[in-house]
């Protein structure tokens, strides 16, 4: 999900939930063609131990979806979320043009948030599918592409295990998502399995300086995540390298246009090819 720095440059993105295994709670949603789908929603943490567990309560699952639904109206106020400033939009568009396949292709945007990167990719002619846990984020992503007169399919579901059966893509994109997952390496394997031969895995990640303690109990649970606060480039490269034919890492910290301000933490992109 597009969770770049919230609030101040020192603040890491807030945690986003994902699946651990066999949740039974489901939310109904419809895709761009009006087809109703069932997508799993779950909680990563036990409220008793703080550690991971297999299944949430209904109350916990609905709390997580509600948390991000409530965050959605202000989500695009962060410059690198909404991309409303022309220098920021142009900076991300240039990167998408450079990293995405040259020909119109099928792209999966996991943790798509309000769909800002999906919009850029659709405008470049790509066939975009976005997945996010929050129905309100998905609603806003659909509305964003509709307003621009662009096609796109958006589904409510777990970004770590998208509800797409055996569908394959030419590129899988995740921005500021991996650090929020209880099993990020399992998510990497899932995303690589979604790629067609020769496909691209694009991970925009970082290692953010920690801010003060969160007042929200949901965000506080992030301390139990294996990559809490972000993942260093060498660590992510070590996890991805066995899964792909080749990869490279590009630093993004030195371009303030991407973030709407100068940043002094570690931000980068890992681009891998099958």
């Amino acid at each position: 999900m597009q969770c770049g720095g919230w609030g101040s440059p020192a603040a890491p993105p807030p945690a986003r939930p994902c699946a651990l295994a066999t949740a039974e709670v489901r939310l109904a949603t419809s895709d761009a063609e009006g087809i109703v789908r069932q997508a799993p929603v779950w909680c990563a943490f036990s409220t008793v131990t703080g550690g991971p567990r297999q299944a949430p309560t209904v109350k916990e699952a609905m709390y997580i979806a509600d948390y991000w639904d409530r965050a959605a109206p202000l989500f695009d106020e962060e410059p690198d979320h909404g991309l409303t400033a022309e220098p920021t939009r142009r900076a991300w568009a240039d990167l998408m043009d450079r990293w995405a396949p040259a020909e119109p292709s099928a792209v999966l945007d996991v943790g798509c948030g309000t769909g800002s990167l999906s919009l850029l990719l659709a405008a470049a002619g790509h066939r975009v599918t976005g997945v996010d846990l929050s129905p309100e984020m998905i609603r806003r992503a659909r509305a964003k592409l509709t307003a621009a007169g662009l096609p796109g399919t958006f589904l409510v579901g777990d970004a770590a295990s998208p509800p797409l059966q055996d569908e394959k893509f030419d590129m899988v994109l995740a921005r500021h998502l991996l650090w929020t997952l209880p099993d990020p390496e399992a998510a990497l394997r899932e995303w690589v399995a979604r790629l067609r031969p020769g496909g691209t895995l694009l991970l925009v990640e970082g290692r953010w300086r920690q801010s003060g303690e969160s007042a929200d109990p949901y965000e506080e649970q992030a301390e139990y995540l294996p990559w809490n606060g972000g993942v260093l480039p060498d660590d992510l490269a070590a996890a991805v390298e066995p899964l792909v034919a080749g990869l490279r890492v590009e630093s993004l910290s030195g371009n303030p246009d991407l973030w709407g301000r100068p940043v002094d933490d570690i931000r980068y992109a890992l681009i891998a090819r099958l």
Side-chain angles (χ1 to χ4, degrees):
M1 298 164 187
Q2 298 174 23
C3 295
W6 256 26
S8 68
R16 303 301 300 268
C18 67
L20 288 178
T22 56
E24 297 179 355
V25 179
R26 292 179 176 269
L27 294 177
T29 186
S30 60
D31 64 16
E33 291 74 38
I35 300 172
V36 175
R37 298 175 182 264
Q38 294 283 332
V41 179
W42 34 60
C43 175
F45 304 105
S46 165
T47 56
V48 177
T49 67
R53 70 160 180 215
Q54 294 299 103
T57 66
V58 172
K59 181 178 179 180
E60 289 168 336
M62 298 309 295
Y63 172 75
I64 292 173
D66 179 67
Y67 178 94
W68 289 106
D69 283 348
R70 287 184 287 112
L74 300 179
F75 195 74
D76 279 355
E77 291 187 3
E78 191 67 22
D80 60 309
H81 290 176
L83 309 186
T84 54
E86 177 57 24
T88 302
R89 189 202 66 80
R90 185 71 259 163
W92 282 104
D94 288 346
L95 289 181
M96 292 298 106
D97 288 346
R98 182 153 56 85
W99 292 333
E103 300 298 322
S105 302
V107 177
L108 175 60
D109 186 357
V110 289
C112 65
T114 59
S116 294
L117 293 186
S118 290
L119 177 66
L120 295 180
L121 290 161
H126 299 293
R127 303 179 301 279
V128 178
T129 298
V131 176
D132 200 287
L133 186 69
S134 163
E136 181 61 20
M137 292 284 191
I138 289 296
R139 186 190 71 78
R140 290 171 181 270
R142 288 177 179 152
K144 192 173 286 185
L145 269 72
T146 298
L150 294 169
T153 298
F154 293 93
L155 307 174
V156 175
D158 175 31
S161 183
L164 294 165
Q165 298 183 358
D166 58 352
E167 191 170 351
K168 300 285 187 177
F169 296 86
D170 301 299
M171 185 170 83
V172 174
L173 160 67
R175 183 169 73 155
H176 298 170
L177 173 65
L178 273 170
W179 79 270
T180 73
L181 306 182
D183 192 347
E185 296 193 38
L188 290 171
R189 292 191 295 271
E190 170 69 20
W191 298 340
V192 168
R194 292 281 177 184
L195 288 170
R196 296 183 177 125
T200 299
L201 177 64
L202 172 56
L203 306 172
V204 179
E205 283 296 333
R207 180 70 186 176
W208 298 274
R209 292 191 295 112
Q210 297 298 303
S211 59
E213 292 185 1
S214 168
D216 191 294
Y218 167 50
E219 290 183 33
E220 287 174 0
Q221 299 300 321
E223 67 182 278
Y224 299 101
L225 294 167
W227 286 349
N228 176 41
V231 55
L232 292 170
D234 287 349
D235 293 334
L236 183 55
V240 173
E241 188 173 19
L243 307 176
V244 299
L247 63 82
R248 70 181 190 277
V249 173
E250 296 185 16
S251 175
L252 304 179
S253 298
N255 186 349
D257 286 343
L258 290 171
W259 318 108
R261 58 181 177 263
V263 297
D264 60 2
D265 47 20
I266 299 171
R267 306 189 186 199
Y268 64 92
L270 185 148
I271 307 98
R273 311 283 183 185
L274 286 194

